[in-house]
Amino acid sequence: SVLHVNVVDASRAFFGSLNLPALRVAKERLAEAGLDLRFRRLYRITDPSLFQILDGFEPQEPPSGSAARLGLVGSRLIGPTSGLTLYLVDELPPNVLGLSLGTPGAADATGLYYGVLAKFRSDDPATLGRTIAHEIGHYLGLPHPMSRGRSGRTYEDPFGDTLPFSGNLMEKGVTLSEQQAFAASRHPLLRKF
């Protein structure tokens, strides 16, 4: 199960390379679940208004939001692709390290809701890598083991092997359960090579 990933640098500090320690950490986190991340190409967005995505909304970004606008700019920059787009930005809303533009995310690279975002931090590759893997997990269809709806009601995920979830990647841990790995491996973006 191979997931090709295009990386879009939307930050002030252009990092200029796919050889980021955080990308290796993300690859390692998902490899444990049988998912092979392959970082294909690096793109650059130079519009400073897209470096800060501060109006992220759950459960879905509205079409007028800056994250959806970033997705649209990215899809025009990259064009049709069979890989997921990862945006590394300077800022996200307070206490937010990453955001998926869908759970599960679309397989159509031309839409507003295509990709995942993470707050770029070169000083903490372990946290950034885990965040990238976590958001990719969302895009591949994985919810948090326990979610709270707008009504305040809590909902468990559909997997019978995620509780207790103390070490689960979709909570604050680093690994996926067997059932989560199986579900994620069914997303249409995954390839055989």
Side-chain angles (χ1 to χ4, degrees):
S1 295
V2 176
L3 179 62
H4 295 277
V5 180
N6 293 301
V7 179
V8 176
D9 179 348
S11 70
R12 285 180 196 85
F14 179 55
F15 46 83
S17 170
L18 289 177
N19 191 23
L20 293 172
L23 297 181
R24 285 193 300 277
V25 170
K27 184 175 178 69
E28 290 167 4
R29 294 279 68 81
L30 292 175
E32 294 173 8
L35 301 171
D36 181 11
L37 294 184
R38 296 195 187 163
F39 297 98
R40 295 172 67 183
R41 188 166 171 201
L42 176 65
Y43 295 86
R44 174 90 169 123
I45 289 179
T46 57
D47 180 350
S49 72
L50 296 173
F51 295 174
Q52 297 182 354
I53 307 300
L54 299 176
D55 59 350
F57 294 90
E58 294 285 348
Q60 186 64 59
E61 172 75 13
S64 61
S66 57
R69 195 165 56 91
L70 178 64
L72 184 60
V73 169
S75 70
R76 289 179 180 155
L77 176 69
I78 296 170
T81 179
S82 61
L84 180 63
T85 304
L86 164 65
Y87 298 93
L88 296 175
V89 299
D90 285 335
E91 292 294 327
L92 289 170
N95 302 317
V96 175
L97 298 177
L99 179 69
S100 174
L101 293 177
T103 305
D108 177 12
T110 61
L112 296 175
Y113 304 111
Y114 189 81
V116 298
L117 290 73
K119 181 177 177 179
F120 178 67
R121 293 190 50 174
S122 61
D123 63 328
D124 189 0
T127 299
L128 178 57
R130 194 201 77 73
T131 299
I132 292 168
H134 175 95
E135 297 307 330
I136 289 173
H138 281 315
Y139 203 85
L140 297 178
L142 303 178
H144 294 131
M146 188 72 68
S147 297
R148 183 174 306 279
R150 289 181 182 217
S151 68
R153 184 174 172 203
T154 57
Y155 302 90
E156 289 183 22
D157 71 14
F159 308 110
D161 64 348
T162 56
L163 296 175
F165 48 77
S166 59
N168 193 280
L169 177 65
M170 300 315 295
E171 189 54 39
K172 297 190 186 302
V174 296
T175 61
L176 292 176
S177 74
E178 187 175 320
Q179 291 176 14
Q180 286 173 314
F182 177 81
S185 72
R186 299 303 180 249
H187 195 280
L189 280 180
L190 293 166
R191 304 287 179 249
K192 292 184 181 181
F193 51 90

